[in-house]
Amino acid sequence: MSNAVCDALAQFPRLSRSILPTPIHRLDYLADKYGCGVYCKRDDMTGFGFGGNKTRKLDFLVAEALALGCDTLIGVGANQSNFCRMAAAYGAVDGLDVHLVLGGAKPELATGNLRLDHLLGATCHHIVDPDWRATIREGKALEMRLTDEGRKVFRMDIGGSSPVGCLGYVDAVLEIQDDEKRLGLSFDAIILTTGSGGMQAGLVAGKDACDWGCQVIGMCIAQDAEKQSSAVLSLAEAAATLIGTQVDRDSVITDDSQLGEGYAVRTEACVQAVELFARKCGVFVDYVYTGKAAAGLIAYLEDGRFGGDDNVLFLHSGGSAELFE
Ligand SMILES: Cc1ncc(COP(=O)(O)O)c(C=O)c1O
């Protein structure tokens, strides 16, 4: 099955800006404390443009933009969007103008990802409206304005979570299966952050296409588990259609126990997980995305959900630029 998936992916244009495969290592402190295999896959170290999960998506998305002859990229996200920073890096290197439509007032001092957006030469449009839909609407309006001016625009969905963007994480399944062979073990579960849902959707589509037994558990950071599952399922189905496979709805597992009061609102468990990962594992996770997934992993280990011969993989999807905000 993996070969068929590999062949299906090869039909799509693709860049190779990421340094892949990403490293994988045992989280000794957690593994020793809880008596099971706890590993970390370092997608925060994809290398290009400060790294993170978006490189896998943008390798496919920007290749598609170039194949369509586009000259302008539009990315939409929050002021501190990791995706927008990565889009700005791809555009800079691939000769595309980049416009970022960012939800949030223009701060006096640009920090974290926004500082990098400026360094990369992206044009930033700040939308001050607590309703997310206003930022999305402005992305579409900007696309029309730029098109009227004669630009050929490639506007990307939030977080790069279009079916094509998800292919990056279909491919990640093949990579993780190779990791398993190299390490001589099999993973029972992957724990990751799920936001716009593309990363989880790609993993689910890849898992089902390869008939892989590993559970893919998405820790919600933006909305409740029911809404998140439905968003992930539709995206996974669309990604599976692209590669000629199908998805089992039971493969979509989401957990909103770490969501707290919502997107980017810190929880005590997340703050503790950020500190524990830094101080006991030497790994930096952030307060918006990976810290909440890390808190979920720790809660599962505390509850005894994994133990003995189980191997669990924490998928570190990046975001540490936020620590410099
Ligand atoms: C660091 C980080 N991790 C995880 C995610 C969530 O990935 P997805 O939006 O594909 O669900 C994001 C999304 O922006 C992110 O920036």
Side-chain angles (χ1 to χ4, degrees), residues 134-154:
T135 307
I136 295 170
R137 267 199 309 274
E138 179 50 27
K140 292 180 182 164
L142 178 65
E143 177 181 13
M144 285 168 73
R145 288 202 299 279
L146 292 172
T147 306
D148 286 347
E149 287 169 18
R151 311 305 309 248
K152 189 139 193 226
V153 179
F154 191 81

Side-chain angles (χ1 to χ4, degrees), residues 53-54 57 81-83 158-159 161 193-200 221 228 263 286 289-290 317-320:
N53 63 345
K54 309 308 180 197
K57 298 177 178 182
S81 164
N82 296 302
F83 172 69
I158 286 200
S161 288
T193 309
T194 183
S196 60
M199 176 166 58
Q200 187 176 9
I221 51 85
Q228 187 67 20
Y263 180 71
D286 73 282
Y289 295 100
T290 46
S317 46
S320 50

Side-chain angles (χ1 to χ4, degrees), residues 298-316:
I298 293 165
Y300 285 167
L301 292 168
E302 279 287 327
D303 289 352
R305 179 160 171 166
F306 302 107
D309 294 337
D310 290 339
N311 292 306
V312 55
L313 180 66
F314 176 73
L315 180 53
H316 189 334

